[in-house]
């Protein structure tokens, strides 16, 4: 097992290298660079642009170097100094910007992942065992509803409900009075009160998806002979279901962790903008629009890393869960 | 009390002679009926079935698939799947002097849970899928012990090791922590038996326990079940469609058809004086397989040039160097096999699972690339094709003339394609035929395999196992092949349907001048069907001779042990349980 993990980690190195190359190419692809978009917005607002100053900036930022030189500077900075470059727009190191946002993003992501599991696993099992019952149809109906409603509409609705009926301040993760305040019990409670809206909004579609997956898988497994064997042993019905078929039907749930991680960073962008959440998504969007290349590139690279890590985690979990994978 | 009656009534013959009148049945079933409430109609799966089980005795339930055998057996434990419902009758279990009517107990009640596994043990057909793949063998058995016998973890573990030893699993201390996929089929079935016997049940239900196993393993497992039954004094309910097995182990036999027991009696009477026409027919189709080839054997041979010659074909798996130059474990799946196939001949290849017979079939087609050896194909007089040297295009031509029929008629037909599409697929792929011509050809092929040409617009699910296998054969015949490789083509079928398919294949052979390579683990089938038989063991052909010679006077020790393991469908001439054993 340890050897397997080690091997996987070694294999990740060339993949990471390839990804960094692609990430860099992507941010170079759009015509122009940060300065052209800056000039464009400056001329638009009627400001004077001094060509000499632009040339100077170009030299400082190294925009005139050939692409491979630029890449080399960027990647050696990351590998040797952990320096992801400098954000032009924010005028701060990229790593600071990302770290600022990472805490909120991770908390929110993990909270919604747990929400998804807590809701969908019991419902999925129930739907599979009582297939075609009325409650199964009801869950299925709400599942499809959850899949079909666009996240931002759900976000707006919940914001309205919470403002109108619960009298809460909405948007962001904290009430205005706590932003920037040191951590305290009051702040924590306030945080939790704010958390539920984004968690539900982000989790709904995932929950619906997972219920469908689990229901389909479990329906297949429930009629396998080993379930009859378990029943013939004299196990009570709930134990028969939970111990044998559910365990096997959980495999796809676990393998989905792989792409849950990167999706949490980029996938919730729209929701995050609507709800004004301090997560990574809006920052990435802003960076891409203004061609803030080091910031955008680092984000893309980070998402790649998260995908790899997610895949590794899900593979390890799968191996732990299913000996058939472990032994091959 | 002998009463001969119409279909649907029970014919009881020779019942009183067999057992003392005083013995109490441990389980008696009276008029059990079971319905499946389907969407549009009610299916009477079991109708008015009655029988009794006694300690130390074996009752065999015989019948073809779909006759309601398994459902009956499961109903004894009240394991009835959803649309099914027990609608009548009683199942009285009497293990300790207090008779209990199992059908009257409430669903999921403690009494039922106690009875499952505690008083009635169940073994199933598929040892592959009837144990959970993600739990160790040990944990699955320990669970039963802890459930019914209130043992501590440690005691249960020790007991499990003891049980594994009793079912003759070698090295039980180590095997207890293994997973099912690390066991062979026979070992899994042993583990399953250990689980069923864990709580010393009074009744053991074995539902086709050896159908998925090859003959030698089957003989081992049946011998084991028999021994355990005698030593523990259990009642055994054995469900099977193999009359050979019945003749070897049964005391009493109940023949089921369409959910009814049509005839019941002691084994000798059933085999030697059957009353019901269905029993007679079942017996007739079995005995026929035993008797040797009825088909014309007088065709001129020997002077002809073989149509296919296989010389020293070898397949090695693994053995390549690993990353760090360490030579990996190599397995010779097929080890320098040579044989000739003459035009119009049926060559049988028999062997246990893992003997390399299926691999050999794939090597001939080059679906799997042989490691060494030569395969020469002679389609016309004087023409020679070196199969191993063929380019991809030429190989396609070769595949047009040498076709494969698969084992599983359910898995080998695409459920989303109509029969016409399935059969026409090779014609479409090879090109050069218009829609109309294809349709005519498909109709012709369907007639050839004994199906109505009107069936071509239907989907495979509308057909039974035997009919599906006919469709598979029609597909193989679509390109007018010269050789057909039938890989266990009849193994998944019931006895009487099996002989129909074999007769069909022989009939087609007479019309179309085909040669067959017939791969099977079922020796009686091979004897019926083949002119010559090659016996494979561990990748080698140990003996190759006429079918008659192999089956009656084999030379090699291995062949002898294999032949003697075949159950004989005559209770007066039991063979399997006194067989030769082969150590290798």
């Amino acid at each position: 097992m340890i050897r397997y993990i080690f091997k996987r980690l070694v294999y990740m190195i060339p993949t990471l290298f390839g990804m960094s190359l692609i990430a860099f190419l992507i941010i170079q692809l759009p015509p122009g660079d940060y300065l052209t978009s800056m000039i464009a917005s400056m001329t638009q607002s009627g400001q004077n642009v001094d060509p000499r100053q632009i040339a100077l900036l170009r030299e400082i930022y190294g925009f005139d170097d050939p692409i491979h030189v630029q890449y080399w500077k960027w990647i050696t900075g990351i590998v040797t100094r952990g320096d992801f470059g400098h954000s032009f727009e924010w005028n701060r190191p990229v790593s600071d910007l990302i770290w600022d946002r990472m805490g909120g993003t991770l908390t929110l992501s993990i909270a919604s992942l747990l929400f998804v599991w807590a809701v969908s696993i019991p419902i999925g099992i129930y739907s599979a065992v009582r297939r075609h019952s009325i409650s199964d149809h009801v869950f299925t109906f709400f599942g499809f509803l959850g899949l079909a409603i666009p996240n931002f509409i759900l976000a707006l609705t919940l914001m309205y409900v919470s403002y109108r009926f619960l009298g809460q301040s909405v948007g962001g993760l904290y009430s205005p009075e706590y932003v920037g305040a040191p951590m305290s019990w009051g702040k924590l409670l306030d945080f939790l009160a704010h958390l539920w809206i984004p968690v539900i909004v982000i989790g709904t579609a995932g929950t619906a998806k997972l219920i469908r997956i689990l229901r389909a898988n479990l329906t297949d497994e429930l009629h396998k002979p080993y379930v009859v064997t378990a029943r013939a042993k004299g196990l009570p019905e709930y134990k028969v279901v939970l111990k044998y078929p559910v365990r096997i039907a959980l495999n796809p749930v676990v393998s989905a962790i792989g792409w849950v991680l990167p999706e949490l960073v980029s996938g919730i962008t729209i929701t995050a903008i609507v709800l004004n959440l301090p997560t990574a998504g809006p920052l990435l969007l802003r960076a891409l629009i203004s061609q803030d290349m080091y910031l955008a590139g680092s984000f893309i690279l980070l998402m790649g890393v998260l995908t790899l890590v997610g895949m590794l985690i899900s593979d390890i979990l799968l191996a732990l869960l299913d000996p058939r994978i472990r032994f091959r | 009390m002998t009463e001969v009656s119409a279909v649907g009534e029970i014919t009881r013959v020779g019942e009183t002679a067999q057992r003392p009148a005083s013995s109490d049945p441990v389980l008696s079933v009276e008029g059990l009926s079971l319905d499946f409430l389907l969407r549009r109609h009610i299916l009477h799966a079991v109708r008015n079935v009655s029988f009794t089980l006694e300690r130390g005795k074996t009752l065999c339930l015989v019948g073809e698939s779909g006759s309601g055998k398994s459902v009956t057996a499961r109903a004894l434990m009240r394991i009835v799947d959803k649309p099914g419902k027990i609608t009548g009758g009683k199942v009285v279990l009497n293990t300790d002097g207090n008779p209990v009517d199992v059908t009257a107990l409430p669903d999921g009640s403690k009494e039922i849970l106690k009875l499952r596994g505690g008083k009635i043990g169940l073994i199933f057909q598929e040892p592959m899928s009837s144990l959970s793949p993600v739990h160790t063998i040990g944990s699955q058995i320990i669970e039963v012990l802890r459930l019914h016998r209130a043992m501590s973890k440690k005691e249960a573990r020790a007991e499990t090791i003891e049980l594994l030893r009793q079912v003759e699993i070698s090295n039980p201390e180590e095997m207890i922590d293994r997973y099912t996929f690390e066991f062979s089929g026979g070992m899994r079935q042993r583990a399953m038996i250990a689980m069923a016997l864990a709580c010393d049940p009074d009744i053991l239900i074995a539902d086709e326990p050896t159908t998925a196993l090859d003959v030698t393993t089957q003989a081992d497992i049946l011998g084991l079940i028999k021994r355990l039954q005698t030593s523990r004094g259990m009642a055994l309910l054995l469900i099977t469609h193999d009359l050979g097995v019945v003749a070897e182990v049964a005391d009493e036999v109940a023949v089921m058809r369409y959910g009814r027991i049509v005839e019941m009696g002691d084994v000798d009477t059933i085999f030697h004086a059957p009353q019901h026409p269905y029993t007679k027919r079942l017996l007739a189709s079995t005995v026929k397989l035993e008797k040797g080839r009825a088909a014309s054997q007088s065709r001129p041979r020997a002077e002809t040039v073989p149509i296919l010659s296989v010389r020293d074909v070898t397949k090695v798996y693994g053995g390549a160097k690993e990353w760090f130059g360490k030579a990996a474990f190599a397995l010779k799946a097929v080890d320098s096999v040579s044989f000739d196939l003459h035009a119009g001949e049926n060559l049988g290849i028999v062997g246990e699972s893992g003997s390399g017979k299926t691999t050999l079939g794939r090597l001939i087609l080059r679906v799997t690339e042989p490691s060494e050896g030569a395969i020469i194909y002679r389609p016309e007089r004087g023409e020679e094709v070196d199969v191993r040297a063929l380019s991809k295009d030429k190989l396609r031509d070769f595949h047009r003339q040498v076709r494969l029929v698969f084992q599983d008629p359910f898995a080998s037909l695409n459920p989303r394609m109509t029969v016409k599409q399935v059969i026409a697929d090779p014609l479409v792929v090879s090109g050069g035929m218009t829609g109309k011509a294809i349709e005519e050809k498909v109709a012709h092929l369907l007639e050839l395999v004994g199906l109505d040409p009107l069936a071509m617009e239907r989907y495979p699910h509308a057909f039974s196992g035997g009919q599906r296998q006919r469709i598979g054969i029609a597909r193989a015949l679509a390109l007018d092949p010269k050789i057909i490789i039938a890989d266990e083509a009849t193994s998944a079928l019931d006895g009487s349907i099996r002989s129909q398919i074999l007769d069909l294949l022989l009939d087609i052979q007479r019309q179309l001048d085909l040669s067959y390579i017939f791969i099977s683990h079922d020796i009686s089938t091979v004897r019926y069907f083949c002119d010559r038989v090659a016996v494979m063991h561990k990748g080698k052909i140990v003996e190759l001779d006429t079918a008659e010679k192999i089956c009656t006077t084999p030379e090699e020790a291995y062949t002898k042990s294999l032949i003697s393991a075949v159950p004989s469908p005559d209770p007066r001439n039991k063979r399997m349980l006194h067989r030769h054993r082969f150590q290798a």
Side-chain angles (χ1 to χ4, degrees):
Chain A
M1 192 70 194
I2 290 174
R3 227 187 103 187
Y4 168 76
I5 295 173
F6 178 73
K7 214 160 106 186
R8 286 291 303 267
L9 286 173
V10 171
Y11 282 149
M12 273 166 76
I13 295 171
T15 321
L16 273 177
F17 172 72
M19 263 170 10
S20 72
L21 213 57
I22 291 169
F24 195 78
L25 285 179
I26 287 175
I27 55 177
Q28 291 285 350
L29 268 183
D33 48 41
Y34 175 67
L35 286 180
T36 40
S37 61
M38 192 175 85
I39 294 164
S41 63
M42 278 168 79
T43 30
Q44 231 168 28
S45 56
Q47 280 180 290
N48 259 345
V49 184
D50 182 1
R52 270 189 309 142
Q53 199 187 343
I54 294 295
L56 193 68
L57 279 172
R58 261 182 199 288
E59 208 184 315
I60 294 170
Y61 290 146
F63 285 155
D64 292 331
D65 291 341
I67 285 183
H68 62 268
V69 174
Q70 291 191 37
Y71 173 73
W72 180 248
K73 279 186 187 161
W74 183 59
I75 197 74
T76 45
I78 293 173
V79 174
T80 53
R81 288 169 276 133
D83 174 12
F84 286 82
H86 206 79
S87 163
F88 309 128
E89 191 175 19
W90 298 77
N91 210 5
R92 285 173 64 191
V94 168
S95 45
D96 286 2
L97 278 172
I98 293 181
W99 281 126
D100 275 358
R101 295 293 179 113
M102 235 28 207
T105 310
L106 276 181
T107 321
L108 204 57
S109 306
I110 290 168
S112 34
L113 192 60
L114 291 179
F115 168 78
V116 167
W117 284 347
V119 175
S120 58
I121 291 177
I123 294 182
I125 293 172
Y126 181 87
S127 286
V129 174
R130 300 247 181 286
R131 211 152 60 101
H132 299 317
S133 67
I134 290 174
S135 29
D136 173 32
H137 287 308
V138 169
F139 284 134
T140 305
F141 174 74
F142 279 106
F144 281 126
L145 215 60
L147 268 179
I149 296 176
N151 273 351
F152 64 92
I153 295 216
L154 194 61
L156 288 173
T157 317
L158 283 180
M159 276 165 84
Y160 174 76
V161 168
S162 109
Y163 178 73
R164 181 81 175 68
F165 297 103
L166 302 176
Q168 246 182 354
S169 83
V170 288
L173 283 177
Y174 300 106
S175 304
E177 65 266 30
Y178 284 111
V179 177
M183 205 62 196
S184 65
W185 283 112
K187 188 174 177 179
L188 188 68
L189 285 178
D190 180 63
F191 172 69
L192 290 178
H194 278 83
L195 194 61
W196 69 272
I197 295 180
V199 162
I200 288 179
V201 171
I202 297 163
T204 309
T207 309
K209 239 186 273 174
L210 201 58
I211 290 176
R212 303 305 299 168
I213 294 176
L214 198 59
R215 180 175 178 270
N217 279 309
L218 196 56
T219 313
D220 280 349
E221 292 296 328
L222 276 177
H223 298 283
K224 294 269 174 78
Y226 67 85
V227 184
V228 184
T229 309
R231 220 167 268 154
K233 276 178 189 175
L235 284 176
E237 191 62 29
Y238 75 93
K239 223 172 159 183
V240 169
V241 174
L242 286 187
K243 185 163 177 188
Y244 293 96
V246 166
R247 168 129 177 222
I248 292 172
L250 275 182
N251 275 6
V253 177
V254 172
S255 37
I257 296 176
W259 51 85
V260 163
L261 277 182
E263 195 169 292
L264 290 174
V265 175
S266 64
I268 57 177
T269 307
I270 296 173
T271 317
I273 292 170
V274 171
L275 288 175
N276 188 24
L277 301 175
T279 59
L283 190 64
L284 171 62
L285 182 67
R286 182 76 215 124
L288 286 172
I289 290 171
S290 64
Q291 296 202 16
D292 191 350
M293 70 178 223
Y294 290 123
L295 184 57
S298 303
F299 257 122
I300 293 171
L301 187 62
L302 184 74
M303 265 148 59
V305 173
L306 281 176
T307 315
L308 281 185
V309 171
M311 289 295 171
L312 182 66
I313 292 175
S314 75
D315 281 355
I316 292 172
L317 280 178
L318 266 187
L320 288 177
L321 200 67
D322 192 337
R324 288 171 297 183
I325 296 166
R326 187 156 70 229
F327 283 81
R328 288 198 181 146
Chain B
M1 61 176 244
T2 311
E3 57 178 74
V4 184
S5 62
V7 185
E9 295 270 312
I10 303 160
T11 315
R12 279 188 164 263
V13 278
E15 185 203 32
T16 38
Q18 183 81 63
R19 59 182 129 87
S22 64
S23 81
D24 266 342
V26 64
L27 184 111
S28 56
V29 177
E30 288 162 35
L32 182 71
S33 295
L34 208 148
D35 288 349
F36 278 85
L37 309 168
L38 300 180
R39 207 166 282 185
R40 271 192 235 124
H41 63 286
I42 294 174
L43 176 77
H44 303 287
V46 178
R47 312 185 213 189
N48 199 17
V49 161
S50 306
F51 57 84
T52 55
L53 295 176
E54 284 160 49
R55 284 186 198 281
K57 291 274 193 241
T58 304
L59 173 71
C60 277
L61 265 183
V62 191
E64 296 186 348
S65 34
S67 61
K69 310 175 299 244
S70 300
V71 185
T72 307
R74 286 182 198 181
L76 304 187
M77 302 173 85
R78 287 284 299 277
I79 299 180
V80 180
D81 278 337
K82 209 44 202 276
K85 212 175 155 214
I86 296 176
T87 49
K90 279 202 288 189
V91 176
V92 180
L93 183 71
N94 183 4
T95 54
D96 42 13
N98 300 321
V100 187
D101 182 3
V102 177
T103 52
L105 297 173
D107 252 339
S109 66
K110 271 208 180 108
E111 288 84 358
I112 287 185
L113 297 183
K114 224 186 230 166
L115 164 160
R116 294 178 183 168
K119 289 179 178 164
I120 306 180
L122 179 65
I123 311 172
F124 284 91
Q125 174 173 8
E126 284 288 330
M128 184 78 198
S129 48
S130 55
L131 289 166
S132 160
V134 297
H135 297 86
T136 60
I137 294 281
S139 75
Q140 295 183 55
I141 301 177
I142 288 171
E143 188 181 28
V144 191
L145 287 169
R146 290 182 40 91
L147 199 66
H148 292 288
R149 284 167 65 177
M151 286 180 161
S152 73
K153 267 194 182 144
K154 220 170 155 192
E155 283 168 345
R157 193 181 161 84
E159 177 71 22
T160 304
I161 291 175
E162 180 52 35
L163 277 166
L164 291 178
R165 186 171 291 125
Q166 276 182 30
V167 295
E168 292 158 21
I169 287 180
S170 55
N171 206 357
E173 289 86 355
E174 215 174 283
M175 298 318 275
I176 187 173
D177 292 322
R178 296 287 178 89
Y179 291 93
T180 46
F181 52 83
E182 298 174 90
F183 279 48
S184 67
M187 293 261 279
R188 269 186 221 133
Q189 201 57 297
R190 283 168 195 274
M192 189 75 203
I193 293 172
M195 188 197 290
L197 295 183
C199 299
D200 215 354
D202 301 276
I203 298 163
L204 180 64
I205 301 175
D207 187 353
E208 305 263 13
T210 57
T211 309
L213 307 173
D214 50 46
V215 275
T216 41
T217 322
Q218 160 167 302
D220 284 343
I221 295 289
L222 287 176
L224 174 71
I225 293 179
K226 205 70 192 155
R227 277 199 300 286
L228 290 166
Q229 184 202 1
T230 325
S231 66
R232 293 172 177 233
M234 287 181 299
L236 175 62
L237 176 64
L238 182 73
I239 296 164
T240 182
H241 68 263
D242 185 344
L243 286 169
V245 171
V246 175
E248 297 279 356
V249 298
D251 295 309
E252 271 204 87
V253 182
V255 182
M256 269 191 101
R257 192 190 195 198
Y258 301 141
R260 287 197 178 93
I261 293 185
V262 295
E263 185 165 2
M264 188 149 92
D266 66 77
V267 63
D268 200 71
T269 323
I270 291 286
F271 274 82
H272 288 283
Q275 300 291 327
H276 197 278
Y278 179 69
T279 317
K280 286 179 188 162
R281 228 174 57 222
L282 266 186
L283 282 166
S285 68
T286 318
V287 174
K288 202 163 87 180
L289 291 176
E290 268 290 299
K291 259 196 299 194
R293 179 147 188 215
S296 64
Q297 272 188 306
S298 53
R299 260 173 282 128
R301 181 145 313 116
E303 74 274 11
T304 56
V305 189
I307 187 168
L308 185 80
S309 298
V310 173
R311 288 287 171 269
D312 294 319
V313 165
T314 301
K315 176 67 190 177
V316 184
Y317 282 110
K321 291 270 170 72
E322 264 194 6
W323 267 24
F324 304 109
K326 178 175 65 175
F329 172 73
L331 177 81
K332 269 194 181 171
V334 173
D335 192 354
S336 51
V337 162
S338 306
F339 64 83
D340 287 324
L341 177 73
H342 296 273
E345 186 187 37
N346 299 342
L347 178 73
I349 296 175
V350 293
E352 297 174 34
S353 48
S355 62
K357 42 188 201 314
T358 297
T359 315
L360 180 60
R362 298 170 146 260
L363 292 179
I364 293 169
L365 283 169
R366 268 184 66 196
V367 178
T368 312
E369 231 21 85
S371 314
E372 274 169 49
I375 301 164
I376 309 292
Y377 172 59
R378 301 182 187 84
E380 308 282 331
R381 184 149 303 169
E383 196 185 337
E384 279 204 3
V385 179
D386 180 1
V387 176
R388 282 200 67 194
L390 287 177
S391 66
K392 252 195 175 153
D393 270 1
K394 291 280 169 55
L395 190 64
R396 211 167 288 153
D397 279 342
F398 175 66
H399 281 170
R400 220 163 276 174
Q401 301 185 16
V402 182
R403 309 287 303 172
L404 198 62
V405 176
F406 296 94
Q407 169 173 9
D408 191 340
F410 292 90
S412 62
L413 301 178
N414 187 337
R416 304 236 188 280
M417 284 162 88
T418 63
V419 169
K420 182 173 138 194
Q421 286 170 322
V422 166
I423 297 177
D425 206 30
L427 297 168
V428 174
V429 170
S430 68
M433 267 181 125
T434 58
K436 188 78 188 157
I438 286 180
E439 192 153 316
E440 274 167 20
K441 177 93 185 167
V442 170
H444 173 68
L445 286 165
L446 282 172
E447 272 172 7
L448 197 65
V449 297
L451 290 172
D452 188 348
L454 291 175
M456 69 168 87
E457 295 302 336
R458 306 184 68 183
Y459 286 89
H461 68 79
F463 298 89
S464 70
Q467 288 171 322
R468 281 170 193 234
Q469 201 58 304
R470 284 170 193 264
I471 295 168
I473 292 167
R475 174 174 58 184
L477 292 173
L479 293 169
D480 303 319
K482 289 260 185 342
I483 301 175
I484 286 187
I485 300 177
D487 188 352
E488 303 272 12
T490 59
S491 309
L493 306 174
D494 285 331
S496 60
I497 294 163
R498 182 183 305 163
S499 53
Q500 282 172 20
I501 295 288
L502 291 176
D503 287 340
L504 172 71
L505 288 172
L506 289 174
D507 202 44
I508 292 169
Q509 179 171 42
R510 270 193 288 277
Q511 293 178 40
L512 298 180
D513 189 30
L514 288 167
S515 310
Y516 289 108
I517 294 180
F518 192 85
I519 299 169
S520 179
H521 69 265
D522 183 352
I523 286 145
S524 47
T525 311
V526 168
R527 183 174 182 191
Y528 178 68
F529 188 77
C530 297
D531 303 305
R532 290 191 305 149
V533 177
V535 180
M536 281 192 81
H537 180 54
K538 297 195 171 165
K540 286 198 172 80
I541 289 188
V542 291
E543 198 169 353
L544 174 65
D545 216 320
T546 61
E548 202 50 37
K549 177 96 192 323
I550 293 277
C551 295
T552 51
T553 50
E555 305 253 311
E556 297 293 322
Y558 176 71
T559 317
K560 279 181 193 164
S561 76
L562 194 68
I563 297 297
S564 68
V566 180
S568 135
D570 181 359
R572 291 178 191 167
N573 177 24
K574 295 189 183 181
R575 176 170 55 195
M576 188 183 77
L577 300 178
H578 327 272
R579 67 205 172 83
H580 294 266
R581 279 171 196 261
F582 177 74
Q583 313 300 344

